[in-house]
Amino acid sequence: MRKLILPVLILLSITGCKTTTGSKAYYYLGDTTQKQTTDNKQNIKAPTHNATLDSIITNAWQLNLAYSPELAASLGNKRTAGQLPDLSPESLSEQNKQTQQILNTLKSLDKSKLSKDEIINAKILQDQLQNQVDMYAFKDHYLPITAESGFHAYIASMATSPFNTADDYQHYLDKLAALPAYFAQQTFWLKQGLAAGITPAKVTLIGFEDSISAFIVPVEQSGYFKPFTTFPSHFTETQKNQFTQQGKIAISEKVLPVYQDFYDFMTQEYIPNARQQIAASALPDGPAFYQNRVEYYTTLPMTAEEVHQLGLTEVARIKTEMEQVITNVGYKGTFAEFLHFLRTDPQFYPKTAEELLKEAAYIAKKADAMLPKYFGKLPRTPYGIAPVPAEIAPKYTTGRYAGSDRDDQPGYYWVNTYALDKRPLYEMEALTLHEAVPGHHLQISLNKELTDLPNFRRYSYISAFGEGWGLYSEYLGLEAGFYQDPYSNFGRLTYEMWRAARLVVDTGMHAKGWSRQQAVDFMAGNTALSMHNVNTEIDRYISWPGQALSYKIGELTIKRLRAKAENTLGEKFNIREFHDAILENGSVPMPILEQMIDAYIAQKLS
């Protein structure tokens, strides 16, 4: 699954032909989809031996647009606005073939005459293309779901797009009509995964069916019907009635049946036969796959064992700080008893979803006010606060940033309001600083506003950089005067411990033979996360190998580079300039970030 952060890139992956689930048959409606995607691909040129870096970048971006109709539409190509991706075997095979050709051309390019900026572009593009080729080889397209959610939930975001014109509604109706083909393709790949033993671990799919049944509701209660509940003021009554009627028919005849069929397939065939093992190393070619993920998500040549040992060191360091906080508040019990106190005392938990959202909004507004002191450049795009969608909330993480691919839309800081007795308020400062500002919203929005960067960099996300920045932002709040309450500071430390423990449990489960219970016990014994969050997080790591390593590796790199800059520059060090230097080139791998900061230091000393 393409597990990316920017919604337009989030994950739209899959088959051709006909496949069955029990007695029900899905059919790939190839007549329209295949013609549309074929039309989109006509402008892609074959790589040449005398290609320039610019031509390679152009070809790679055009290839991305050709296979991502929603991305193309969001960037102005209205011909693709009513399409969903063609994820048939033929389409994915051809995409992989063309990606490999572009990658080979880039690798053979003479880079000796490239500028520093061009070398960075070449490195990042090569990493992106290599990852796409690697994931196809490892059959990642067999996994369009994770413990948290899947394609069936993410595709529903089409209903939240702006609806301003009659064309917007027609394009939406076209996509509703294409959903049966899209679900058929996804189901085909899930079946291939079952046959090959490439599925999420069965234990992580407990309750997964609830995220499907949430969509099986009466037509007018469906999220897919929402665009037909309000119309722009310039629409005539005739237009409103016509689109509403068409929407009811599409949802009744196309949308609801495919969700019911998918529910039946998952509950009767897929989940009962999912693999028992939790380790990525147990997958076909699993050890190589996991090492590939370690290097991809850290952007460094680290081994799983090196990551594991680093995690143990960080856990020990942070625990010492946590124990000091316990001493400072005068608590007389053990560390484990203090964690139990935090998890069970009602004073730490909101009574209503509104209370939790208001607390997040208040902290976010305080965070907005800190920005001018620490940053010279701020994004123009605002952000809002919203609850995690109800249909995915039960198995979803505690909060997340959802960026927008449009310049007329805000980003959103999602707060999980499910199970309020598992959402402690002492974590909210750290969570807000990470997901909103100065964390993901600031970094991602600035990235997209770097118009001098090629699009493949503006609309991409390097996890070690982005998540490292998010965790560093939690730490920055300490300097900015947050965490005045010792319990809030313990919440910050438990969030840092959470990311350190990830290094241990992710590598433990996927490379060192740890059981799920070992991972749960380690996480629960070292953090104040609620047991609900501990369990959902462990299942997330099982079904998304390696991603959890991004946070601590990125944060430690940024902290180390800041210490280098402070020690070398002395009185010349300026925190606003340093942060701008970190963010001014967008999302980059850790080795490139170090080169950038070294250049920044040298420039300040000259």
Side-chain angles (χ1 to χ4, degrees):
M1 181 168 66
R2 281 104 169 143
K3 308 171 184 77
L4 303 175
I5 299 298
L6 302 182
V8 69
L9 301 174
I10 262 186
L11 52 122
L12 300 169
S13 322
I14 316 190
T15 187
C17 324
K18 166 185 174 182
T19 182
T20 61
T21 62
S23 61
K24 299 180 177 68
Y26 290 110
Y27 293 91
Y28 169 47
L29 307 179
D31 293 341
T32 57
T33 305
Q34 192 61 51
K35 181 180 185 303
Q36 289 170 335
T37 52
T38 298
D39 289 345
N40 294 343
K41 298 164 190 170
Q42 287 178 347
N43 293 326
I44 303 173
K45 298 178 181 178
T48 62
H49 292 295
N50 60 349
T52 64
L53 179 60
D54 285 345
S55 69
I56 295 171
I57 289 173
T58 297
N59 286 344
W61 183 246
Q62 289 302 318
L63 182 64
N64 192 12
L65 294 179
Y67 287 89
S68 306
E70 289 202 345
L71 175 60
S74 73
L75 298 177
N77 185 353
K78 298 306 180 185
R79 293 190 305 109
T80 68
Q83 300 174 28
L84 297 180
D86 173 15
L87 302 165
S88 65
E90 298 81 6
S91 177
L92 292 191
S93 176
E94 180 61 25
Q95 182 182 11
N96 179 66
K97 176 183 175 182
Q98 294 185 60
T99 302
Q100 184 69 71
Q101 289 174 340
I102 295 173
L103 175 61
N104 292 342
T105 304
L106 179 57
K107 286 181 174 180
S108 65
L109 181 71
D110 180 5
K111 301 178 180 64
S112 62
K113 297 181 181 179
L114 298 182
S115 68
K116 289 183 180 179
D117 288 343
E118 288 174 328
I119 290 173
I120 292 175
N121 285 340
K123 166 61 176 170
I124 294 176
L125 180 59
Q126 183 168 318
D127 287 350
Q128 286 185 10
L129 295 172
Q130 187 66 60
N131 183 61
Q132 292 173 33
V133 169
D134 289 346
M135 288 298 91
Y136 184 81
F138 286 121
K139 296 181 171 56
D140 189 56
H141 47 293
Y142 287 10
L143 290 166
I145 61 173
T146 67
E148 286 186 333
S149 190
F151 71 90
H152 64 289
Y154 293 113
I155 196 67
S157 66
M158 70 167 75
T160 64
S161 300
F163 288 85
N164 300 315
T165 68
D167 282 346
D168 291 337
Y169 279 90
Q170 187 55 58
H171 293 148
Y172 180 61
L173 290 168
D174 291 341
K175 287 191 284 190
L176 293 181
L179 274 180
Y182 180 70
F183 271 65
Q185 293 178 334
Q186 299 284 21
T187 304
F188 172 84
W189 290 119
L190 288 167
K191 281 178 167 286
Q192 303 311 299
L194 275 179
I198 302 175
T199 73
K202 186 176 182 178
V203 67
T204 70
L205 296 176
I206 296 172
F208 183 89
E209 66 274 13
D210 295 340
S211 71
I212 309 171
S213 62
F215 289 94
I216 306 171
V217 295
V219 170
E220 294 187 6
Q221 295 177 27
S222 171
Y224 282 101
F225 188 72
K226 188 174 181 180
F228 304 107
T229 59
T230 57
F231 288 89
S233 58
H234 62 272
F235 273 42
T236 66
E237 288 303 314
T238 300
Q239 284 178 308
K240 294 177 185 178
N241 292 335
Q242 180 181 359
F243 281 127
T244 300
Q245 187 61 27
Q246 289 177 315
K248 287 181 178 179
I249 293 172
I251 295 168
S252 175
E253 296 183 0
K254 301 290 185 182
V255 178
L256 297 181
V258 299
Y259 275 94
Q260 184 62 58
D261 287 350
F262 183 55
Y263 179 90
D264 293 343
F265 165 70
M266 290 298 292
T267 56
Q268 297 171 19
E269 185 173 349
Y270 192 84
I271 294 175
N273 294 296
R275 68 187 178 102
Q276 296 291 334
Q277 307 98 322
I278 64 170
S281 57
L283 291 166
D285 207 14
F289 167 66
Y290 187 62
Q291 180 57 33
N292 180 281
R293 295 298 82 197
V294 170
E295 294 183 20
Y296 174 74
Y297 282 115
T298 65
T299 71
L300 295 168
M302 299 184 74
T303 66
E305 183 61 28
E306 289 171 335
V307 172
H308 190 83
Q309 293 303 319
L310 176 61
L312 291 173
T313 300
E314 281 291 283
V315 165
R317 178 188 64 80
I318 298 165
K319 192 166 186 177
T320 299
E321 292 189 43
M322 296 172 84
E323 289 170 337
Q324 185 60 54
V325 173
I326 295 173
T327 300
N328 292 345
V329 299
Y331 189 82
K332 301 303 182 183
T334 66
F335 186 84
E337 289 169 341
F338 186 72
L339 296 186
H340 179 74
F341 162 63
L342 293 179
R343 289 182 179 129
T344 57
D345 195 306
Q347 68 173 304
F348 298 120
Y349 294 86
K351 303 298 187 294
T352 66
E354 183 180 36
E355 179 187 351
L356 183 60
L357 291 168
K358 283 184 175 180
E359 181 69 12
Y362 173 65
I363 296 169
K365 204 59 190 173
K366 287 172 59 180
D368 285 341
M370 73 178 268
L371 297 181
K373 182 177 180 181
Y374 292 94
F375 300 89
K377 185 175 182 179
L378 299 174
R380 63 169 296 276
T381 306
Y383 67 97
I385 297 173
V388 171
E391 59 269 15
I392 62 174
K395 290 177 69 65
Y396 207 70
T397 191
T398 187
R400 187 161 287 172
Y401 177 70
S404 172
D405 55 288
R406 299 169 58 107
D407 62 8
D408 61 348
Q409 296 290 307
Y412 276 97
Y413 161 32
W414 282 4
V415 178
N416 199 330
T417 57
Y418 173 82
L420 291 172
D421 60 342
K422 308 296 188 293
R423 310 294 172 193
L425 296 171
Y426 54 76
E427 295 176 353
M428 289 308 295
E429 284 189 320
L431 178 66
T432 303
L433 293 171
H434 183 112
E435 302 296 345
V437 296
H440 287 326
H441 173 72
L442 183 142
Q443 180 261 313
I444 292 172
S445 296
L446 285 176
N447 196 122
K448 289 187 294 181
E449 293 174 16
L450 295 172
T451 55
D452 290 341
L453 291 184
N455 282 331
F456 80 89
R457 288 183 58 189
R458 290 180 63 205
Y459 295 94
S460 68
Y461 188 80
I462 295 175
S463 195
F465 184 91
E467 301 303 342
W469 176 259
L471 184 49
Y472 171 78
S473 295
E474 297 175 28
Y475 164 78
L476 189 60
L478 193 62
E479 294 183 36
F482 286 77
Y483 314 116
Q484 293 298 312
D485 184 302
Y487 294 107
S488 177
N489 190 37
F490 196 88
R492 173 188 69 83
L493 287 168
T494 210
Y495 262 40
E496 187 181 8
M497 176 67 90
W498 174 20
R499 279 44 168 266
R502 284 174 172 177
L503 302 182
V504 179
V505 300
D506 195 283
T507 53
M509 290 188 293
H510 291 302
K512 295 177 71 68
W514 280 32
S515 69
R516 181 183 182 279
Q517 192 59 51
Q518 276 181 278
V520 167
D521 291 344
F522 188 88
M523 185 73 75
N526 287 288
T527 76
L529 295 176
S530 70
M531 289 309 300
H532 174 83
N533 283 344
V534 168
N535 279 284
T536 57
E537 286 297 314
I538 294 301
D539 286 346
R540 171 187 164 193
Y541 311 149
I542 293 171
S543 64
W544 198 353
Q547 191 273 344
L549 310 181
S550 308
Y551 302 70
K552 249 301 166 183
I553 299 299
E555 180 232 17
L556 289 172
T557 302
I558 294 171
K559 280 185 174 179
R560 178 174 57 79
L561 293 177
R562 176 172 167 179
K564 179 194 287 190
E566 287 177 325
N567 293 334
T568 306
L569 296 177
E571 293 183 355
K572 290 185 176 183
F573 179 80
N574 180 291
I575 190 64
R576 299 174 82 213
E577 291 179 355
F578 173 77
H579 288 151
D580 289 349
I582 289 284
L583 299 173
E584 68 180 355
N585 286 292
S587 190
V588 298
M590 295 301 96
I592 289 178
L593 181 63
E594 178 138 17
Q595 294 171 16
M596 286 166 38
I597 296 305
D598 285 345
Y600 157 74
I601 293 171
Q603 184 271 326
K604 289 288 291 182
L605 290 174
S606 63

